[in-house]
Amino acid sequence: MTALALLVPVLAGLAAFWVLANQPTRYVATATVSVPGSAANSASRVGLFVADFAELAVSGTVLQDVSKSTGVPRADLDDGLEVARIGQSSLFTVVYTGDRGQAVEPVVRAVIAGTFGNLVEVSDTDADLQAAVAAYDAAVAARSAYQDEIGTLQPDRDYTDLSSRIRSLQISPEIGSVAIIARLSATRDALVPQIRRMQELDQAVQDAAQQRDEAQRAAESLQRQAAESQSSSTIQGLEVVEESRTPRLVQGVGVAAVAGLLIGLAALVLPDLLRRRQPASDLPAEAVPERRPRPTVAAGARDAS
């Protein structure tokens, strides 16, 4: 039993070695990618960019498109794709391991292109730009509506013109100048709240225009990054090699040997444990200890006592 228990892990290790050694060759495509554009200006921004890239690269949005374009099943993409930053540099790697040597490089390129292309959508820059443009258009429309309401485009200029006419009448009085000045002054005073409202509307238009311009610059920046996804300045290198079988063999044989050892020990110890728990009545006759009769006192000895 001891020899058999020791033989089980050996056989399990040999079986695992045979199975793993006869598996088809796997191929590894590794692309070294640089963080493009302004995202590479600081270590913190590089870290955020790589984290966003890694999260999006393994998302359903990207992998579904990659599976359609390359013909690789989605399950294989989930199991074989990895994204990792290289130390603290502005470089990171995109690695895919698969069974088809001709497919691993197209998969990596498709993942890089799809991820860079979708980063614009993930960051919501398009939605932000549309919202900023809509806010600007609304501010311009509100100003135009108010100008139509008060009947003038620039009440501040009208105020200046009325002030000039009033000063002219004060310098060179005419017949009825007092009445004219009073009417012009009333008209000019009515322009004051209109001027203030127009200033508020003008400021709202300026703020909306500034937000629109910032959103436009942000969207253009990320669109340039997406356009650079397949440029030589972004993909620093891409190589395809056969995956080394040694790590898999060592790991697989080790796990099988340990599992076999546990099974062998269980087979060795379990029968003894079962015998110890078995009731004495169930034991074979030779296993039950013989009971010797207790010595009895002779009748004469009892009488003498």
Side-chain angles (χ1 to χ4, degrees):
M1 290 296 294
T2 303
L4 181 60
L6 295 176
L7 184 61
V8 172
V10 176
L11 295 177
L14 291 175
F17 179 84
W18 183 83
V19 171
L20 294 174
N22 286 277
Q23 286 186 347
T25 303
R26 291 169 61 85
Y27 300 88
V28 181
T30 303
T32 302
V33 186
S34 63
V35 177
S38 59
N41 291 341
S42 64
S44 59
R45 297 189 65 180
V46 169
L48 291 174
F49 181 89
V50 175
D52 291 340
F53 187 99
E55 181 178 358
L56 181 60
V58 297
S59 66
T61 303
V62 173
L63 294 186
Q64 185 175 358
D65 294 339
V66 173
S67 179
K68 289 181 180 179
S69 62
T70 61
V72 178
R74 169 69 184 277
D76 294 345
L77 296 176
D78 291 332
D79 295 336
L81 187 63
E82 296 181 1
V83 178
R85 184 179 177 182
I86 302 177
Q88 297 298 317
S89 67
S90 60
L91 300 175
F92 61 96
T93 57
V94 180
V95 181
Y96 174 69
T97 304
D99 298 331
R100 297 165 49 191
Q102 297 179 348
V104 290
E105 179 177 347
V107 165
V108 169
R109 291 190 179 276
V111 168
I112 295 174
T115 304
F116 271 106
N118 281 278
L119 275 176
V120 176
E121 298 178 5
V122 170
S123 60
D124 294 331
T125 52
D126 289 342
D128 291 344
L129 177 58
Q130 293 176 0
V133 171
Y136 173 77
D137 293 340
V140 173
R143 184 177 62 182
S144 299
Y146 186 72
Q147 289 173 337
D148 294 339
E149 178 184 345
I150 62 178
T152 179
L153 298 179
Q154 295 178 319
D156 54 343
R157 179 174 296 181
D158 295 342
Y159 185 93
T160 302
D161 293 340
L162 289 174
S163 298
S164 298
R165 291 180 61 185
I166 291 173
R167 284 195 299 270
S168 297
L169 290 173
Q170 290 174 344
I171 295 174
S172 302
E174 300 176 358
I175 298 175
S177 295
V178 176
I180 296 174
I181 291 175
R183 179 172 55 82
L184 294 177
S185 297
T187 304
R188 184 186 63 177
D189 293 340
L191 291 175
V192 174
Q194 297 178 2
I195 293 173
R196 292 175 179 173
R197 178 56 182 164
M198 281 298 300
Q199 289 176 345
E200 294 176 356
L201 294 173
D202 288 338
Q203 186 63 45
V205 171
Q206 293 178 6
D207 294 341
Q210 183 178 359
Q211 294 177 359
R212 179 202 58 187
D213 294 341
E214 291 177 354
Q216 179 69 35
R217 286 192 294 269
E220 291 176 352
S221 176
L222 285 181
Q223 288 169 358
R224 285 194 299 270
Q225 293 177 14
E228 293 174 358
S229 61
Q230 290 294 332
S231 68
S232 58
S233 61
T234 301
I235 299 180
Q236 301 294 325
L238 200 160
E239 61 177 1
V240 178
V241 297
E242 292 186 4
E243 183 186 32
S244 176
R245 296 187 178 185
T246 302
R248 284 195 298 163
L249 287 174
V250 173
Q251 182 179 6
V253 171
V255 172
V258 172
L261 181 60
L262 294 176
I263 294 173
L265 292 176
L268 183 62
V269 176
L270 188 60
D272 185 53
L273 293 177
L274 293 177
R275 281 197 303 269
R276 292 182 180 180
R277 292 187 178 184
Q278 188 174 8
S281 59
D282 296 338
L283 294 175
E286 60 273 11
V288 179
E290 182 180 359
R291 296 184 179 180
R292 297 181 180 179
R294 296 177 58 184
T296 57
V297 181
R302 289 197 299 268
D303 295 339
S305 59

